Amino acid sequence: MRTYWSQVTDPDNIVATALNTWQKHVVSNTLSDADAAWGKTTVLRGDIVEQVRRLKEQPGGELQVHGSWQLVRTLHDAGLVDTYRVLQFPVVVGDGKRLFADGATPDHRVGGAEGGAGAVSLTLRQAEFGTTGTGEFVVQDGQETIA
């Protein structure tokens, strides 16, 4: 991301402005601090769950994860994900990646919008942290419902 976005200097480009000026945290056990240098960037190493837990306790904006399903799954399993914003494109490369592990019982409220070229933007917000009830689909009085 740094290679591309650091070259976009148009102040009217809100994505570039945010990525180039806001605090960033990169999770890596192999990336050096010098290699990660891009504005206000900190490399997180070691116990990522505890470090993210501490970051969430600090005042300020939201924490986002871009492009790492393994990190998202780790943070999800630790109860540290409040909202998912998923951009889904009508292209599958290989088998694709699952957002939730087999057997996971996410309980989220879902919102969405259509984008261009068939892309879909989904927002999944934690319904009530700590609840994992999923129910099952049944038909009652001719209508499909969740029991």
Side-chain angles (χ1 to χ4, degrees):
M1 290 179 63
R2 175 185 65 176
T3 303
Y4 179 85
W5 287 107
S6 64
Q7 297 178 63
V8 181
T9 58
D10 175 4
D12 293 330
N13 186 313
I14 60 172
V15 173
T17 299
L19 291 174
N20 288 321
T21 61
W22 292 0
Q23 175 68 46
K24 293 169 285 301
H25 304 279
V26 177
V27 174
S28 177
N29 287 320
T30 59
L31 192 65
S32 72
D33 291 339
D35 290 336
W38 175 23
K40 298 182 232 171
T41 301
T42 304
V43 179
L44 302 179
R45 298 177 181 88
D47 187 348
I48 299 306
V49 169
E50 186 54 37
Q51 291 182 63
V52 170
R53 187 171 279 120
R54 281 193 302 253
L55 287 170
K56 283 187 66 152
E57 291 172 356
Q58 296 178 7
E62 66 187 15
L63 298 172
Q64 298 179 358
V65 176
H66 294 256
S68 176
W69 66 270
Q70 295 105 327
L71 177 58
V72 170
R73 179 122 359 121
T74 297
L75 298 177
H76 172 86
D77 291 347
L80 293 173
V81 177
D82 301 315
T83 302
Y84 290 92
R85 288 185 187 89
V86 180
L87 297 176
Q88 182 176 5
F89 297 87
V91 175
V92 176
V93 178
D95 293 334
K97 299 287 185 224
R98 290 180 172 265
L99 183 58
F100 302 106
D102 287 341
T105 55
D107 190 9
H108 294 83
R109 294 179 311 237
V110 179
E114 279 187 50
V120 178
S121 171
L122 299 173
T123 302
L124 295 85
R125 296 191 198 287
Q126 188 76 15
E128 185 176 323
F129 190 75
T131 61
T132 58
T134 56
E136 73 179 53
F137 289 92
V138 297
V139 177
Q140 291 180 327
D141 299 325
Q143 294 184 335
E144 183 181 46
T145 60
I146 300 175

